[in-house]
Amino acid sequence: MKWDEFFVTGDPLIYGADVSIVLTVIGILFYLTYFKKWKWLWTEWLTTVDHKKLGIMYIASAVLMLFRGGVDALLMRVQLATPDSKFLDSQHYNEIFTTHGTIMIIFMAMPFLIGLINVVIPLQIGARDVAFPYLNAVSFWTFFIGAMLFNISFVIGGSPSAGWTSYMPLAGNELSPGPGQNYYLLGLQIAGIGTLLTGINFLVTILKMRAPGMTLFRMPVFTWSALITMIIIVFAFPILTVALALMTFDRLFGAHFFTLQGAGMDMLWANLFWLWGHPEVYIVVLPAFGMFSEIISAFSRKTIFGYKAMIWAMVIIAGYSFLVWVHHFFTMGQGELVNSVFSITTMIIGIPTGIKIFNWLFTMYKGKISFTTPMLWSLGFIVNFVIGGVTGVMLAMAAADYQYHNTYFLVAHFHYVLIAGTVFSCFAGLIFWYPKMFGYKLNERIGKWVFWVFNIGFNVCFIPQFILGLDGMPRRVYTYSAASGWGNMNMLSTVGGFLMGIAFLILVYNFYYSFRYSERENTGDSWGLGRTLEWATTSAVPPHYNFAVTPTVDSFDPLIKMKRNNVNLKPKIEDIKKIHMPDNSGVPFFMASFFFVAGFGLVFEWYWMGIVGLIGVFITLIIRSFDKNEGYYVSEEEIKETERLTV
Amino acid sequence: MANPQDSLSREHGGIPWKHVIGYILSIILTALALWVTFETGFSTRTILIIIFIFAFLQAALQLLMFMHMTESSEKKSKLTGNTQTGNILFAAFVAIVIVAGSVWVMGAGHGKHDHHKMDSKMEDMKMDGDMKMEHK
C-alpha cells in the first residue's frame, strides 16, 4: 500500500479535517505540557477506577461523538437541501451516512447512557463503587479505543460506506474493497467488548451491592431500567460479536458465511444483525425511560404512578425485544406467515410502552410541577415520542411497510424515537445529575434556550421527512432531481437540522458559562426535590467512597421519607469505620491501546501488527491475573476530615 | 457471611437422595434413548427428534439434581436460586429464539429465490409458462 492510499486525499473537506485534527492534538499537548497537567491526567483520569470519573469520561466522549455525528448530519442536510447538488459526491455521501448512523448509535447514545448509569446507579443503590471497578475501567477504555479506531477512518484509509447496517453483499470485499468496512467491523468489535463487560458488571452490581433494606421492589425505577438493560446487553451483544466475527472472516480470510459465492447466505447477515439490532433499540431506550421516570416524579413532587406496572412493562419489553427483529426486513421475502407473526409481535410490544406513557401522565396529574430544564426535556419527550411510537405502529403492519420501507418516512420515524427518546433523555439526565458530577447546576435560562431551539429545530427537520417519505423519496440517495418536487421540503428539513446544530452550540456555551458563573452547591440535594439515595450524600459531589456510612432503605424513594422524618443525613462519628476501596490501575489503558494496535493492523490486513497487538493484550491480561493487589483502606481520620466531623 | 459449605455438610449425614434419584433417572433416560435407536422401527428423523428430547430432559435433570442450579452460595443471599433459574430459563429462551427463529425466517419463502436454487426455480417458471400456454 502506498502512502497516498494510506491517507485519504483529494477532498478539501478532508484536508480541512486533517488540519483541524493536527491543530487540536498540538493544542492539547501544549496545554498539558505548559500547565504541567500530565501527571494530573494520568493519576486522576487515565488510571482511575472510580465509577463517577469513568462516567464523566463516558459522557465527555459521547458529547464529542455527538459533535462528530452531528457534523456528518449537517453535511448530509447541506447536500440534500437543493436538487442536483454538487456539494458531496455519491461515495462521500455514502461514507457520511454510514459513519453518522454508526457513531450516533454505538459511540454516542450507548456511552452517553452508560456514562449516566455509571455516575448514578452505584449512588442510587447506596454502593461504594461497582462490583468490578477494574473491569469498569477496561469497559471504558475498550469503548473509547473502538470509537477512536472507527473515527480515524475518515482521514486514514477511508470510511466504511455500506450503511450502519452493513448489509451483505454490499459490505463484502467485491463491492466494498479497501479498509473502510474493516474499520466498522473492528471498531465495533473492540467497543462491543466494553459494552458486554459493562453489562456483566452492572448486572452483578445491582443484584449484589444494594444498600441494606433495598429489596428488588424497592429499587428506584432508573435502577430497574438499568438492570433490565444490562440483561438485554448480556444476551444480545454476543449475537453482534459473532456476526461481526463471521463477516471479518469473510473479508480478511476469504470465508463464505455471507458472500454470494461458496454457498454463503447474504441475508443471514441482515437476520443476525437485527437479532442484535432490535434488542439494541431497547438497550438505548430503556435507561431513557428510567431517567424520565425519576425526573418526572421529582419535579411533579409525586411518587411515580404505577411503580410495579412500570417495572413489569420493562420486564415484558426485555423479553419481547427478542421477538420482533424481522420487522426491519419485511420486504426480504420470507413470506406472509412470517411477516404476519412479526407484525403482531411488533404491535404488541407497543402496549407496555403505552402503559409507561400513561403512567408518566398520571404521575404529573395533580402534581405541583416545576418547569425546570430537565422537566421540559421530559415533557418534550412525551409529545415527540408518541409521534415516533404511532408511526412505528404504522410501520409494524407488514403490508403497509412495503410502501414505507426504505423511504424518508422510516428515517423520520426512527429519529422521532431515538432523538425524542434517547437524546432528550441524555440531555435531561445530564442536566438533572450535573450538580452530582460537578457541584454546580447548568444555567437554567440558557438551558431553556437550548431546549426550545433544539425542540423546534427537531420538528422542523423531521416532520418534512415524513411527508417526503410518503411522497416516495428513498433514504440513502445522495441527490434527487428538481422534477421530483422534493426541493422545498428538503430545504425546510435542512433549516431544522441547522437549528439543532445551533442548539448544540448553545449547550456547549452553557457548559462554559455555568463553569464560570454558576452558584456552587452546598448540599447533596441540589434540586431540593431528590427522592432517591444519590441525593442523600453529604456533599454536592460525593467523595470517592460515596457514603461514609451505608444508608438503610425501606421504600423506593427513601430520601423523601428521610426528609419527612427529619433524619439527619450527616453520619454519626461513632459509625465511621475504615472503608475498603480499589486501587487505580494503568493496565486497562494499556490493554485498550494494544487493542488499538491489533485492530489497526487487522484493518489494513497487516497481520504482523495484529499479532503484536494481541500478544500485548494477552500480556496485560497475564499481568492482571498475577496482580495480588487487594486495594487499600480509607482511614477513619480521613473520612472524618472529609465529612467535616469533629470529636 | 454464611458458610457456603453448609448445604453440602448437611447432606453428608444421610443418603443423598437427590443425587441417587438423579442418577437413576439419568440411567433410565440413557437406556430409553438406546432402546429407541436400536429396537424401534422409526425413521432416522423421528429417532433423532426423540433422542434429542431425551437429551434435553437429561441436561435439565442434571442441572437440577447435580449442578445445584436452584441453590445459592449464601444462605440469605440477595442473589437467590430463583435468580439463577430465571437466568438459565431466559438464556434457553433466547438461544431457542435465535436458532429456531433464524432457521424459520431464513427458510420461509426466502429459499425460493436463493441463488443456489435459481436454476431449478427458472425451470419451474418455464414449466409454469408451458402449462399456461397449453391452457390457451
Side-chain angles (χ1 to χ4, degrees):
Chain A
M1 175 176 271
K2 295 189 198 78
W3 282 108
D4 61 333
E5 285 171 22
F6 184 69
F7 289 108
V8 178
T9 49
D11 190 315
L13 282 169
I14 300 287
Y15 289 132
D18 287 339
V19 172
S20 65
I21 288 172
V22 171
L23 286 180
T24 314
V25 170
I26 291 174
I28 292 171
L29 293 181
F30 175 78
Y31 174 84
L32 289 172
T33 313
Y34 188 79
F35 291 98
K36 299 194 171 62
K37 293 277 190 189
W38 282 104
K39 192 161 188 294
W40 166 83
L41 182 73
W42 178 254
T43 53
E44 292 288 312
W45 297 98
L46 298 188
T47 60
T48 187
V49 294
D50 182 349
H51 70 95
K52 299 179 285 295
K53 284 186 176 165
L54 287 168
I56 290 170
M57 288 199 286
Y58 262 117
I59 294 168
S61 320
V63 172
L64 209 66
M65 289 296 107
L66 180 61
F67 173 74
R68 160 80 210 268
V71 170
D72 282 346
L74 292 183
L75 290 174
M76 282 190 280
R77 281 321 317 165
V78 170
Q79 165 67 19
L80 290 177
T82 50
D84 300 315
S85 170
K86 298 278 183 291
F87 180 62
L88 301 172
D89 60 38
S90 66
Q91 174 63 20
H92 198 174
Y93 185 85
N94 292 352
E95 290 178 6
I96 286 178
F97 75 63
T98 302
T99 51
H100 168 76
T102 314
I103 285 176
M104 285 303 202
I105 297 278
I106 309 276
F107 301 128
M108 191 286 287
M110 301 241 339
F112 214 133
L113 295 165
I114 289 177
L116 287 164
I117 287 173
N118 253 291
V119 172
V120 178
I121 294 299
L123 286 164
Q124 208 165 44
I125 61 173
R128 296 244 144 81
D129 205 317
V130 294
F132 312 114
Y134 176 93
L135 198 66
N136 206 12
V138 175
S139 290
F140 171 75
W141 287 111
T142 44
F143 143 70
F144 185 77
I145 286 301
M148 289 303 114
L149 184 65
F150 186 83
N151 268 278
I152 57 163
S153 66
F154 84 113
V155 287
I156 298 176
S159 291
S161 58
W164 89 281
T165 50
S166 286
Y167 278 0
M168 289 294 265
L170 177 60
N173 273 334
E174 293 78 19
L175 297 171
S176 299
Q181 185 60 26
N182 297 347
Y183 270 117
Y184 171 93
L185 294 169
L186 289 148
L188 261 63
Q189 191 68 281
I190 293 171
I193 297 170
T195 312
L196 191 56
L197 295 181
T198 300
I200 296 167
N201 205 344
F202 276 87
L203 196 57
V204 179
T205 305
I206 297 174
L207 286 176
K208 296 285 278 186
M209 296 183 63
R210 299 190 305 276
M214 189 182 276
T215 56
L216 281 178
F217 280 96
R218 282 184 199 157
M219 295 199 305
V221 183
F222 184 37
T223 305
W224 258 110
S225 73
L227 174 69
I228 291 166
T229 306
M230 296 309 153
I231 292 173
I232 306 180
I233 286 179
V234 168
F235 285 106
F237 260 78
I239 309 173
L240 179 71
T241 307
V242 170
L244 287 172
L246 295 181
M247 199 202 270
T248 312
F249 284 1
D250 279 6
R251 286 186 59 92
L252 298 188
F253 310 129
H256 295 288
F257 293 107
F258 307 123
T259 56
L260 290 177
Q261 299 82 24
M265 292 174 87
D266 47 338
M267 289 312 287
L268 184 60
W269 164 265
N271 181 69
L272 290 177
F273 183 87
W274 287 114
L275 260 166
W276 159 78
H278 201 82
E280 166 71 9
V281 173
Y282 288 96
I283 291 170
V284 295
V285 92
L286 284 183
F289 289 171
M291 285 192 263
F292 287 129
S293 302
E294 300 288 334
I295 291 167
I296 289 173
S297 166
F299 291 111
S300 305
R301 294 176 171 81
K302 276 182 68 189
T303 188
I304 192 84
F305 182 90
Y307 171 83
K308 286 210 169 165
M310 284 300 221
I311 284 145
W312 284 112
M314 287 193 287
V315 172
I316 290 167
I317 287 174
Y320 244 89
S321 67
F322 285 91
L323 294 174
V324 296
W325 78 96
V326 175
H327 70 216
H328 294 274
F329 47 90
F330 277 145
T331 56
M332 190 173 90
Q334 53 273 18
E336 52 288 333
L337 176 65
V338 175
N339 276 3
S340 308
V341 168
F342 283 92
S343 258
I344 292 165
T345 54
T346 306
M347 289 180 212
I348 291 174
I349 206 171
I351 296 171
T353 318
I355 291 173
K356 297 183 77 66
I357 297 276
F358 281 107
N359 280 343
W360 288 314
L361 294 178
F362 284 125
T363 304
M364 285 186 280
Y365 178 67
K366 285 192 173 173
K368 200 162 163 258
I369 299 173
S370 314
F371 290 95
T372 56
T373 38
M375 189 65 183
L376 281 180
W377 285 107
S378 309
L379 295 171
F381 151 75
I382 292 181
V383 175
N384 290 314
F385 192 80
V386 167
I387 301 177
V390 169
T391 50
V393 178
M394 291 168 72
L395 285 156
M397 286 179 273
D401 183 69
Y402 272 71
Q403 288 300 312
Y404 309 132
H405 187 81
N406 252 0
T407 68
Y408 263 86
F409 188 85
L410 169 79
V411 174
H413 155 72
F414 70 69
H415 281 92
Y416 261 92
V417 178
L418 285 170
I419 293 184
T422 308
V423 178
F424 278 27
S425 82
C426 289
F427 288 156
L430 179 65
I431 300 164
F432 188 52
W433 283 295
Y434 205 80
K436 214 35 31 198
M437 292 179 244
F438 301 106
Y440 55 89
K441 287 196 197 102
L442 285 173
N443 183 285
E444 282 282 288
R445 192 171 44 84
I446 304 175
K448 280 173 187 166
W449 274 100
V450 178
F451 170 75
W452 285 110
V453 175
F454 193 95
N455 203 21
I456 291 168
F458 166 61
N459 279 289
V460 171
C461 184
F462 292 106
I463 292 265
Q465 295 188 9
F466 280 124
I467 301 164
L468 282 169
L470 294 177
D471 216 7
M473 182 171 170
R475 70 193 286 208
R476 291 172 174 170
V477 288
Y478 83 106
T479 192
Y480 52 90
S481 70
S484 64
W486 298 330
N488 292 341
M489 281 295 168
N490 269 305
M491 180 54 95
L492 191 60
S493 181
T494 301
V495 170
F498 273 87
L499 280 176
M500 283 191 276
I502 291 167
F504 178 78
L505 292 181
I506 309 175
L507 177 73
V508 173
Y509 172 69
N510 200 6
F511 291 148
Y512 166 76
Y513 181 91
S514 308
F515 169 68
R516 288 291 300 272
Y517 302 111
S518 257
E519 197 186 325
R520 266 46 183 175
E521 303 288 335
N522 297 319
T523 65
D525 189 11
S526 312
W527 298 92
L529 297 167
R531 312 181 73 83
T532 39
L533 284 184
E534 77 268 29
W535 306 108
T537 54
T538 43
S539 53
V541 180
H544 62 110
Y545 51 78
N546 289 353
F547 298 95
V549 177
T550 306
T552 314
V553 176
D554 59 0
S555 71
F556 63 80
D557 33 19
L559 187 56
I560 288 295
K561 213 167 177 182
M562 290 185 204
K563 282 181 194 165
R564 213 169 281 154
N565 299 338
N566 286 323
V567 174
N568 188 4
L569 291 172
K570 218 167 167 64
K572 290 194 193 72
I573 201 152
E574 62 270 22
D575 290 344
I576 302 282
K577 291 195 182 70
K578 62 179 181 176
I579 295 170
H580 186 215
M581 293 298 289
D583 267 316
N584 283 358
S585 173
V587 179
F589 178 75
F590 286 114
M591 184 193 287
S593 305
F594 281 121
F595 265 121
F596 186 87
V597 174
F600 194 80
L602 288 177
V603 164
F604 287 94
E605 300 181 38
W606 299 336
Y607 292 113
W608 61 268
M609 194 172 167
I611 291 167
V612 167
L614 286 177
I615 289 174
V617 172
F618 276 108
I619 289 173
T620 53
L621 286 173
I622 290 165
I623 289 173
R624 170 63 180 171
S625 304
F626 288 96
D627 183 3
K628 293 214 162 58
N629 193 330
E630 299 273 344
Y632 69 102
Y633 282 95
V634 187
S635 67
E636 288 179 28
E637 289 71 39
E638 194 189 328
I639 300 166
K640 282 173 191 162
E641 203 181 300
T642 318
E643 303 288 329
R644 296 201 193 91
L645 295 172
T646 42
V647 185
Chain B
M1 210 181 266
N3 182 1
Q5 297 295 315
D6 271 4
S7 58
L8 286 176
S9 52
R10 244 187 295 116
E11 280 173 13
H12 284 174
I15 301 166
W17 281 113
K18 215 173 154 183
H19 294 83
V20 172
I21 294 168
Y23 183 60
I24 293 168
L25 283 175
S26 294
I27 288 176
I28 292 172
L29 281 166
T30 311
L32 271 176
L34 274 173
W35 180 77
V36 168
T37 313
F38 289 120
E39 300 293 327
T40 59
F42 295 129
S43 67
T44 316
R45 190 184 157 83
T46 320
I47 289 175
L48 272 176
I49 292 172
I50 294 172
I51 62 174
F52 261 94
I53 291 172
F54 285 152
F56 280 111
L57 279 177
Q58 192 169 340
L61 189 79
Q62 299 206 357
L63 280 172
L64 269 171
M65 298 297 192
F66 305 144
M67 307 298 278
H68 308 275
M69 188 175 84
T70 52
E71 292 168 22
S72 68
S73 55
E74 295 156 41
K75 253 186 184 169
K76 288 188 83 180
S77 163
K78 287 168 188 165
L79 189 66
T80 60
N82 286 341
T83 320
Q84 278 190 65
T85 314
N87 183 26
I88 287 176
L89 287 177
F90 189 61
F93 162 75
V94 172
I96 290 167
V97 165
I98 293 170
V99 177
S102 294
V103 170
W104 186 43
V105 171
M106 297 304 295
H110 181 247
K112 275 186 242 156
H113 53 88
D114 203 342
H115 39 269
H116 313 302
K117 294 166 192 160
M118 201 58 108
D119 298 340
S120 61
K121 195 187 165 197
M122 300 261 271
E123 269 166 33
D124 286 354
M125 282 163 67
K126 236 196 242 158
M127 278 169 69
D128 285 354
D130 291 348
M131 278 161 77
K132 270 176 202 149
M133 295 285 277
E134 275 167 31
H135 277 293
K136 276 179 188 171

